[in-house]
Amino acid sequence: QVQLVESGGGLVQTGGSLRLSCAASGRTFSTYTMGWSRQAPGKGCDRVAASHWSSSSIYYGESVKGRFTISRDNAVNTVTLQMNSLKPEDTAVYYCAASRFWPATTVRSYGYWGQGAQVTVSS
């Protein structure tokens, strides 16, 4: 069982940066794929980034490549998403999620979800 709590969302102007953090409980955090997904108003949930438990493999969605960076620290059960060069189309609720699988190619691959953090990018 893994419980996830996000923090760090907010309002930023176009071109700005935000950092999302996710604190996880559970002794087996280091064995899970950790990812970030987002859901914009009126749209489906899309994968943004994911990290293999060892950080040896990383996935980024096409729309965020080169701008977002996912990292994890298994020693303190945290995963972060550094978001740079933000655009209005990045506005969404961002969810931290955990999966027992790699590659976790769909949002359905994730069995544990945080409560979500709102990110709003103004133009």
Side-chain angles (χ1 to χ4, degrees):
Q1 189 79 6
V2 178
Q3 293 182 325
L4 306 170
V5 178
E6 300 100 335
S7 61
L11 172 65
V12 66
Q13 291 184 331
T14 296
S17 298
L18 281 175
R19 184 179 179 89
L20 298 177
S21 295
C22 175
S25 64
R27 292 176 293 177
T28 58
F29 170 83
S30 63
T31 67
Y32 282 80
T33 291
M34 295 301 299
W36 292 91
S37 295
R38 67 186 182 187
Q39 186 165 23
K43 296 186 177 181
C45 191
D46 295 321
R47 291 188 309 148
V48 172
S51 171
H52 184 267
W53 65 265
S54 68
S55 301
S56 60
S57 294
I58 299 290
Y59 162 85
Y60 292 105
E62 286 297 324
S63 62
V64 306
K65 281 183 179 178
R67 301 188 297 123
F68 289 14
T69 302
I70 186 171
S71 60
R72 65 188 294 165
D73 187 340
N74 290 339
V76 292
N77 286 10
T78 59
V79 59
T80 60
L81 185 69
Q82 177 67 41
M83 303 182 292
N84 298 328
S85 302
L86 284 161
K87 306 174 181 179
E89 50 265 43
D90 294 319
T91 295
V93 177
Y94 284 70
Y95 296 93
C96 175
S99 172
R100 296 180 182 272
F101 309 106
W102 181 270
T105 56
T106 69
V107 294
R108 293 182 179 181
S109 301
Y110 292 87
Y112 303 97
W113 293 81
Q115 82 285 357
Q118 177 68 48
V119 171
T120 302
V121 184
S122 62
S123 58

